[in-house]
Amino acid sequence: MSKNGNTTSKYQIGEELLKQNRPDEYKNIVEGLAKFSPELGEFLIEFVYGTVWSRSYTENPVLPAQTRALVTISCLATLGREPQLRSHITGALNVGCSKQEIVEVLLHLCVYAGFPVTINAIKIAQEIFKS
Amino acid sequence: MSKNGNTTSKYQIGEELLKQNRPDEYKNIVEGLAKFSPELGEFLIEFVYGTVWSRSYTENPVLPAQTRALVTISCLATLGREPQLRSHITGALNVGCSKQEIVEVLLHLCVYAGFPVTINAIKIAQEIFKS
Amino acid sequence: MSKNGNTTSKYQIGEELLKQNRPDEYKNIVEGLAKFSPELGEFLIEFVYGTVWSRSYTENPVLPAQTRALVTISCLATLGREPQLRSHITGALNVGCSKQEIVEVLLHLCVYAGFPVTINAIKIAQEIFKS
Amino acid sequence: MSKNGNTTSKYQIGEELLKQNRPDEYKNIVEGLAKFSPELGEFLIEFVYGTVWSRSYTENPVLPAQTRALVTISCLATLGREPQLRSHITGALNVGCSKQEIVEVLLHLCVYAGFPVTINAIKIAQEIFKS
Amino acid sequence: MSKNGNTTSKYQIGEELLKQNRPDEYKNIVEGLAKFSPELGEFLIEFVYGTVWSRSYTENPVLPAQTRALVTISCLATLGREPQLRSHITGALNVGCSKQEIVEVLLHLCVYAGFPVTINAIKIAQEIFKS
Amino acid sequence: MSKNGNTTSKYQIGEELLKQNRPDEYKNIVEGLAKFSPELGEFLIEFVYGTVWSRSYTENPVLPAQTRALVTISCLATLGREPQLRSHITGALNVGCSKQEIVEVLLHLCVYAGFPVTINAIKIAQEIFKS
């Protein structure tokens, strides 16, 4: 059960999903963001992971976690949200996407979002792949 | 061979790809845009389809056409490019994506690009699925 | 209690809030969007209204509904999300914002988001105020 | 002298510039926008035209009106502000830009802002050139 | 009277407003930006502060300075303009907004602009509140 | 002839153009980006420079290189793509644009893209001009 009396079901699902697949992200939320804004921590765990991402963890997901990860990367690179792009490139590798798939997605965006989006995102991928 | 002396290889690949998989889009380019701007027509056929999209039509594509289509939809919905979103939702159905997959991608974007992106894109999907 | 076994508490709060303050928007969701995508309807009622907007309907809200409405308008106009801007200008009038306040917010955005944002948003306000 | 006691100098300069070079835009502001929001009309005439655009109408402008017009088109197409893009494509033709220059600018943007920006803007140019 | 013979009235109003309410921002403009581009300094002091922000410092402002500050924060966070967001979060505290109000505004944006906007902006708020 | 069997004509044109006018950018691509993603290197050399920028290096270019550079700067500043803006401000100086022209373009954007775009871009210009 969640700490503040929220929906135990979705909050717990979100917590479990994070602990298993994104322990780095879980730590980031719980020890970082949630200490400053408990509500933001709750929205993330309960809604973002417990309600939306969990849809890739049912028995017959419409969208497997890998595809969901690539779709997320496409969106974040297009918007230029660099901290989240870093996090989700790591996440994509975690759920089984290959480095080539990730780079291919970023390369594709040059057509629809322009070359700067592709170049800036590919530089981030390069840094993450090195580490 | 292309009309204006460009790379026959990529231009032809682009033309073939469009005629086979996106005849509607081919007609749109050749009879519409290219009549007003021949260069734009060429860039589209030679670069966008002949160089980038063709990467899903090799023997062992890193990104299958279906995933490439969902990544495109994610980018276009995020940017709010409605005419292209219409075109590529149709294209995604053409290459074998299901309606549920397409809606699931658009739903996912509410987290990263906001609910207005999801709502406006889902309305477009709804119109296309009806027709 | 919500239909699909979700958190009754937040879903119900969202439903109540919509029925009382935004009956037009409630109808829009339930009879429109939710028929095509039940999940989207749920996210909107449970998360957007039941979890986020409801924060202006507690005993001592940090942000009164009127300020929340103006902040929403600022964001939507900046992003150019016209359908949602229409809806939330109506919503702002519903919760007690004056027409002058709304126009003043849109005018202010010319500095931070550019004059086209202000002009396009003010035209929408003009249409809504006429009706 | 301007009506509401503003800087006579910049307001008058803006009015003159609009009447001479953009009578359509002047009419649009004075008979349309300014009737709904006098302040917006003032900001446009005094600041946008009287302070910024007037910088191309001095003796030795750093940026001639034609270049300023192409820079404006680049910005508006990139942002997808379609009403203003229409207006400023007309304005560019008014100050002496050729149709080929305008199309070439829009074509160039496919690299930096993506093909959808170019396609949507070129369609607008096509409509304006026809009329 | 301003140095280059501009409207004394608005320039002076802008200068006064900055010196009283945003001495840090005034110093930033006069000693920084304006040394490199005197015109930019003038536009900021005369138009941004002297014409637009001054509208919250009349006898019966349509929008009090606090609401104007929150609307500005909403716009800047949505656009991801981080340097200006830093500046205006400080400004909001200066004109009497509470830390909770500011965080609540940023939290609200997760719905309309996506979670990355909220997270990145809240991190900036966190840094400013610490100092 | 290019290394990977692509269109010799456009790839070579791109290489030549870069070596002559943008040796810094050429080095950046060949020794940096292309080592990580050979395809990205190819797209840049063959399409961006060999197909699009080369259009300013024909006998009677519709758009001279200087104007193309200013249009690029307008787009990149509007989108907030800072690494590319740095690169293209340098490029604009290389092809003969003056510092005043560049600053004037950035100043102009305050009207159409908002003051934050202008301020952040002018700070970048300031750094580049110093070095």
Side-chain angles (χ1 to χ4, degrees):
Chain A
M1 180 175 286
S2 82
K3 283 188 286 188
N4 332 51
N6 281 304
T7 310
T8 60
S9 180
K10 287 180 182 162
Y11 190 91
Q12 276 180 325
I13 288 172
E15 258 194 329
E16 266 321 292
L17 196 156
L18 278 161
K19 283 172 175 172
Q20 283 205 35
N21 295 289
R22 292 304 306 278
D24 58 313
E25 186 69 3
Y26 181 66
K27 180 170 174 178
N28 206 20
I29 296 174
V30 169
E31 296 182 16
L33 287 174
K35 285 205 179 300
F36 180 73
S37 167
E39 294 90 351
L40 178 55
E42 234 177 81
F43 293 2
L44 286 166
I45 295 174
E46 186 175 80
F47 181 66
V48 173
Y49 289 94
T51 311
V52 181
W53 272 94
S54 61
R55 297 173 63 79
S56 281
Y57 292 87
T58 57
E59 250 192 61
N60 263 336
V62 171
L63 221 60
Q66 291 169 352
T67 316
R68 195 178 287 274
L70 297 178
V71 159
T72 307
I73 281 170
S74 172
C75 176
L76 294 174
T78 294
L79 288 172
R81 310 285 181 222
E82 299 203 346
Q84 289 76 36
L85 183 59
R86 284 180 191 282
S87 169
H88 282 275
I89 287 177
T90 300
L93 293 170
N94 275 17
V95 295
C97 295
S98 68
K99 294 179 181 181
Q100 293 92 324
E101 277 178 307
I102 292 168
V103 172
E104 192 68 28
V105 166
L106 301 179
L107 197 64
H108 184 71
L109 298 179
C110 75
V111 173
Y112 299 96
F115 276 83
V117 158
T118 289
I119 293 169
N120 296 342
I122 271 183
K123 283 184 175 164
I124 287 175
Q126 190 174 7
E127 287 174 41
I128 292 172
F129 295 172
K130 270 195 227 169
S131 60
Chain B
M1 181 176 283
S2 81
K3 284 189 282 189
N4 331 50
N6 281 304
T7 310
T8 60
S9 180
K10 287 179 182 163
Y11 190 92
Q12 276 180 326
I13 289 172
E15 258 195 328
E16 267 320 294
L17 197 156
L18 279 162
K19 283 172 174 171
Q20 282 204 36
N21 296 290
R22 293 303 308 278
D24 58 313
E25 185 70 2
Y26 181 67
K27 181 172 173 174
N28 207 21
I29 297 174
V30 168
E31 295 182 15
L33 286 174
K35 284 203 180 300
F36 180 74
S37 167
E39 294 90 351
L40 179 56
E42 234 177 81
F43 292 2
L44 285 166
I45 295 173
E46 185 175 81
F47 180 67
V48 173
Y49 289 94
T51 310
V52 181
W53 271 95
S54 61
R55 298 172 61 78
S56 282
Y57 292 88
T58 57
E59 248 191 62
N60 265 335
V62 170
L63 221 59
Q66 291 168 353
T67 316
R68 194 177 288 274
L70 297 178
V71 160
T72 307
I73 281 170
S74 172
C75 177
L76 295 173
T78 295
L79 288 172
R81 309 286 180 224
E82 299 202 346
Q84 288 75 36
L85 184 58
R86 284 181 192 280
S87 169
H88 282 276
I89 286 176
T90 300
L93 293 169
N94 275 17
V95 295
C97 294
S98 70
K99 295 178 180 182
Q100 294 92 323
E101 276 178 309
I102 291 168
V103 172
E104 192 68 27
V105 165
L106 301 179
L107 198 65
H108 184 70
L109 298 179
C110 74
V111 172
Y112 299 97
F115 276 83
V117 158
T118 289
I119 293 168
N120 295 341
I122 271 181
K123 283 185 176 162
I124 287 175
Q126 189 173 6
E127 287 173 42
I128 292 173
F129 295 173
K130 269 197 227 168
S131 60
Chain C
M1 179 173 285
S2 82
K3 283 188 285 188
N4 332 53
N6 279 305
T7 310
T8 60
S9 180
K10 287 178 183 166
Y11 190 92
Q12 277 181 326
I13 289 172
E15 258 194 330
E16 268 319 293
L17 197 155
L18 278 162
K19 284 171 173 173
Q20 283 205 34
N21 295 289
R22 294 301 309 277
D24 59 314
E25 186 68 2
Y26 181 67
K27 181 172 172 172
N28 206 22
I29 297 173
V30 169
E31 295 181 17
L33 288 173
K35 286 205 180 300
F36 181 74
S37 166
E39 293 90 352
L40 179 55
E42 234 177 83
F43 292 2
L44 285 166
I45 295 174
E46 184 175 82
F47 180 67
V48 174
Y49 289 93
T51 311
V52 181
W53 271 95
S54 61
R55 297 173 62 78
S56 282
Y57 292 87
T58 57
E59 251 193 61
N60 265 334
V62 170
L63 220 58
Q66 290 168 354
T67 317
R68 193 177 289 274
L70 298 178
V71 159
T72 306
I73 281 171
S74 172
C75 176
L76 294 173
T78 295
L79 289 173
R81 310 285 180 221
E82 299 201 344
Q84 288 75 37
L85 184 58
R86 284 179 191 282
S87 169
H88 282 276
I89 287 177
T90 299
L93 293 170
N94 275 17
V95 295
C97 295
S98 69
K99 295 179 181 183
Q100 293 92 322
E101 277 178 310
I102 291 168
V103 173
E104 191 69 26
V105 165
L106 300 179
L107 197 64
H108 184 71
L109 298 180
C110 75
V111 172
Y112 298 96
F115 276 83
V117 158
T118 289
I119 293 169
N120 296 341
I122 272 182
K123 283 184 176 163
I124 286 174
Q126 188 174 8
E127 287 172 41
I128 292 172
F129 295 172
K130 269 197 226 167
S131 60
Chain D
M1 179 175 286
S2 83
K3 283 188 286 189
N4 331 50
N6 280 304
T7 311
T8 62
S9 180
K10 287 179 184 165
Y11 190 92
Q12 277 181 325
I13 288 172
E15 259 194 328
E16 267 320 293
L17 197 155
L18 278 162
K19 283 172 175 172
Q20 283 205 35
N21 296 290
R22 293 300 310 276
D24 59 311
E25 186 69 1
Y26 181 66
K27 180 171 174 175
N28 206 21
I29 297 173
V30 168
E31 295 180 16
L33 286 174
K35 285 206 180 298
F36 181 74
S37 166
E39 294 90 351
L40 178 55
E42 233 176 84
F43 292 2
L44 285 167
I45 295 174
E46 185 175 81
F47 180 67
V48 174
Y49 288 94
T51 310
V52 181
W53 271 95
S54 61
R55 297 173 62 78
S56 281
Y57 291 87
T58 57
E59 250 193 58
N60 264 334
V62 170
L63 220 59
Q66 290 168 353
T67 316
R68 194 177 288 274
L70 298 178
V71 160
T72 307
I73 282 171
S74 172
C75 177
L76 294 173
T78 294
L79 288 172
R81 310 284 180 225
E82 298 202 346
Q84 288 76 36
L85 183 58
R86 284 178 191 283
S87 168
H88 283 276
I89 286 177
T90 300
L93 293 170
N94 275 16
V95 296
C97 295
S98 70
K99 295 179 181 183
Q100 293 93 324
E101 276 179 308
I102 291 169
V103 173
E104 192 68 27
V105 166
L106 301 180
L107 198 65
H108 184 70
L109 298 180
C110 76
V111 173
Y112 298 97
F115 276 83
V117 158
T118 289
I119 293 169
N120 296 342
I122 271 183
K123 283 184 176 164
I124 286 173
Q126 190 175 5
E127 288 173 40
I128 291 172
F129 295 172
K130 269 196 226 170
S131 59
Chain E
M1 178 174 284
S2 82
K3 282 187 286 189
N4 332 50
N6 279 304
T7 311
T8 60
S9 179
K10 287 177 182 166
Y11 190 91
Q12 276 180 326
I13 289 172
E15 258 195 329
E16 266 320 292
L17 196 156
L18 279 162
K19 283 171 174 174
Q20 281 204 37
N21 295 289
R22 294 300 311 277
D24 59 314
E25 185 70 1
Y26 181 66
K27 180 171 173 175
N28 205 21
I29 297 174
V30 168
E31 294 180 17
L33 287 174
K35 285 207 180 299
F36 181 74
S37 167
E39 294 91 351
L40 179 56
E42 234 177 82
F43 292 1
L44 285 166
I45 295 174
E46 185 176 81
F47 180 67
V48 174
Y49 289 93
T51 311
V52 181
W53 271 94
S54 61
R55 296 173 62 78
S56 281
Y57 291 88
T58 57
E59 250 192 61
N60 263 336
V62 170
L63 220 58
Q66 290 169 351
T67 315
R68 194 178 288 275
L70 297 178
V71 159
T72 307
I73 281 171
S74 172
C75 175
L76 294 173
T78 296
L79 289 173
R81 309 287 181 222
E82 299 202 344
Q84 289 75 36
L85 183 59
R86 284 180 191 281
S87 169
H88 282 276
I89 286 177
T90 299
L93 292 170
N94 275 16
V95 295
C97 295
S98 69
K99 294 178 181 184
Q100 293 94 322
E101 276 179 308
I102 292 168
V103 173
E104 191 68 27
V105 165
L106 301 179
L107 198 64
H108 184 71
L109 298 180
C110 74
V111 172
Y112 299 97
F115 276 82
V117 158
T118 289
I119 293 169
N120 296 340
I122 273 183
K123 283 185 175 163
I124 286 173
Q126 189 175 7
E127 286 174 40
I128 291 172
F129 294 173
K130 269 196 226 167
S131 58
Chain F
M1 180 176 283
S2 82
K3 283 189 281 185
N4 332 51
N6 281 303
T7 310
T8 60
S9 181
K10 287 178 182 165
Y11 189 92
Q12 277 181 325
I13 288 172
E15 257 195 328
E16 267 319 294
L17 198 156
L18 278 162
K19 284 172 174 173
Q20 282 204 35
N21 296 289
R22 293 303 308 278
D24 58 314
E25 186 69 2
Y26 181 68
K27 181 172 172 173
N28 206 21
I29 298 174
V30 168
E31 295 182 17
L33 287 173
K35 285 204 180 300
F36 180 74
S37 167
E39 293 92 350
L40 179 55
E42 236 177 81
F43 292 1
L44 285 166
I45 295 174
E46 185 174 80
F47 180 67
V48 173
Y49 289 93
T51 310
V52 181
W53 272 94
S54 62
R55 297 172 64 77
S56 282
Y57 292 88
T58 57
E59 248 192 62
N60 265 335
V62 170
L63 220 59
Q66 291 168 353
T67 316
R68 194 177 287 274
L70 297 178
V71 159
T72 307
I73 281 170
S74 172
C75 176
L76 294 173
T78 295
L79 288 173
R81 310 287 181 219
E82 299 201 346
Q84 288 76 36
L85 183 58
R86 284 179 191 282
S87 168
H88 282 276
I89 286 176
T90 300
L93 292 170
N94 275 17
V95 295
C97 295
S98 69
K99 296 179 181 183
Q100 294 92 323
E101 276 179 308
I102 291 168
V103 173
E104 192 68 27
V105 165
L106 300 179
L107 198 65
H108 183 70
L109 298 180
C110 74
V111 172
Y112 298 97
F115 276 83
V117 158
T118 289
I119 293 169
N120 295 341
I122 271 182
K123 283 185 177 163
I124 286 174
Q126 190 174 8
E127 287 173 41
I128 292 172
F129 295 173
K130 268 194 226 167
S131 57

